């Protein structure tokens, strides 16, 4: 009889025990015991099952942004950020209004359709060499998935930029929501400064960004 975790055990321990059960029941595990050979990669693929690769994975692949920024971008892509419309769906009372304008706050609105955040994104895009106006979140995500899959230093910079823009706009939104900040005019320079610092620390980008003039070449 196999040991089972107690009800009060942590979720991590319960997950480990669950995976143990799946492992010992798999055909690959049984074959490995018989042949006395084991391959971790093959076992992982069997446990993982068949999943199609997400088209947006290239946005996060080799992204030079800060880990916290990449994590926030990942949550945004999955529509898991606690925007006010999502909070209402789980019966948490909010005013439902965007922190930057008078429209309803949703992931669709917050990052590209809001007049404030769309202005920030357009300014950053022009700075890194893209003449593009904001569309819907899904359209922008699709475009970013295609564009960031291409080679070249500018695509590396684009991946970095979208993560930092998403993160810093989300942080500013939270600060304004909880009354910690009323200043929005310096956000573009703050984002540029962060992108510049991150870019200058990477071999692929450091020759294309000047911290002195904040220019992209």
């Amino acid at each position: 009889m196999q040991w089972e975790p107690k009800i009060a055990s942590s979720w991590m321990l319960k997950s480990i025990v669950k995976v143990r059960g799946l492992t010992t029941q798999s055909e690959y595990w049984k074959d490995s015991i018989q042949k006395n050979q084991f391959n971790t990669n093959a076992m992982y693929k069997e446990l993982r099952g068949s999943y199609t690769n997400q088209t947006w994975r290239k946005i996060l692949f080799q992204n030079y942004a800060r880990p916290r920024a990449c994590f926030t971008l990942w949550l945004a892509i999955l529509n898991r950020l606690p925007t006010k419309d999502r909070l209402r769906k789980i019966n948490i009372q909010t005013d439902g209004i965007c922190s930057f304008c008078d429209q309803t706050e949703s992931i669709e609105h917050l990052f590209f359709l809001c007049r404030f955040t769309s202005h920030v994104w357009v300014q950053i895009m022009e700075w890194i060499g893209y003449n593009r106006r904001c569309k819907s979140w899904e359209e922008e995500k699709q475009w970013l998935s295609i564009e960031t899959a291409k080679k070249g230093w500018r695509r590396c910079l684009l991946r970095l930029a979208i993560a930092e823009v998403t993160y810093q706009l989300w942080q500013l939104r939270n600060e304004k929501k909880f009354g910690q900040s009323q200043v929005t005019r310096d956000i573009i320079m703050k984002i540029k400064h962060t992108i510049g610092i991150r870019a200058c620390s990477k071999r692929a980008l450091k020759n294309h960004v000047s911290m002195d003039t904040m220019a992209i070449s």
Side-chain angles (χ1 to χ4, degrees):
M1 182 177 179
Q2 292 185 335
W3 177 85
E4 294 294 334
K6 297 179 180 179
I7 296 176
S9 299
S10 70
W11 66 268
M12 185 176 294
L13 179 58
K14 291 177 182 178
S15 297
I16 292 172
V17 173
K18 180 180 178 181
V19 172
R20 179 201 64 186
L22 293 173
T23 300
T24 55
Q25 294 171 14
S26 71
E27 292 299 322
Y28 178 76
W29 176 261
K30 296 173 183 177
D31 291 340
S32 297
I33 293 176
Q34 292 178 356
K35 298 177 182 178
N36 198 26
Q37 294 179 343
F38 182 78
N39 183 281
T40 304
N41 185 47
M43 185 75 252
Y44 167 76
K45 288 181 178 178
E46 179 159 338
L47 291 174
R48 179 176 180 268
S50 57
Y51 291 93
T52 56
N53 288 326
Q54 297 294 334
T55 56
W56 46 259
R57 69 189 188 280
K58 290 294 185 180
I59 303 175
L60 294 168
F61 180 68
Q62 290 187 336
N63 195 314
Y64 297 143
R66 294 171 294 174
R68 72 187 76 169
C70 290
F71 180 69
T72 301
L73 175 59
W74 178 63
L75 290 178
I77 289 172
L78 295 177
N79 194 17
R80 291 296 184 268
L81 288 176
T83 51
K84 292 181 179 180
D85 66 326
R86 280 182 56 80
L87 293 175
R88 282 187 166 185
K89 290 178 181 179
I90 56 175
N91 297 321
I92 295 178
Q93 296 300 316
T94 71
D95 59 13
I97 303 302
C98 175
S99 298
F100 304 114
C101 67
D102 57 357
Q103 301 297 311
T104 300
E105 182 186 274
S106 64
I107 195 74
E108 184 78 14
H109 167 82
L110 184 60
F111 291 110
F112 293 118
L113 297 183
C114 172
R115 58 179 177 269
F116 172 76
T117 58
S118 63
H119 171 72
V120 172
W121 180 236
V122 167
Q123 292 297 309
I124 297 299
M125 287 289 284
E126 290 180 350
W127 179 59
I128 64 177
Y130 288 91
N131 183 16
R132 182 176 177 81
R133 293 297 179 265
C134 296
K135 298 181 180 179
S136 70
W137 173 252
E138 287 301 320
E139 288 177 293
E140 290 301 309
K141 188 168 69 175
Q142 183 179 7
W143 176 78
L144 286 165
S145 299
I146 296 172
E147 186 65 19
T148 54
K150 300 175 183 178
K151 296 181 180 180
W153 65 267
R154 200 175 298 277
R155 277 74 181 204
C156 292
L157 194 60
L158 177 62
R159 287 195 290 269
L160 195 168
I162 183 59
E164 290 296 342
V165 170
T166 302
Y167 172 75
Q168 297 207 40
L169 287 176
W170 181 249
Q171 288 298 105
L172 182 61
R173 173 263 188 198
N174 290 338
E175 291 172 2
K176 288 179 69 63
K177 178 184 176 182
F178 296 107
Q180 298 174 354
S181 175
Q182 297 297 325
V183 179
T184 57
R185 63 180 179 274
D186 297 329
I187 186 66
I188 293 175
M189 285 306 300
K190 183 179 179 181
I191 293 171
K192 287 182 178 181
H193 183 74
T194 303
I195 293 172
I197 290 176
R198 298 296 296 180
C200 288
S201 68
K202 303 299 178 181
R203 182 182 300 179
L205 296 175
K206 65 181 181 179
N207 293 329
H208 302 285
V209 180
S210 172
M211 286 301 296
D212 295 330
T213 61
M214 295 306 295
I216 305 291
S217 60

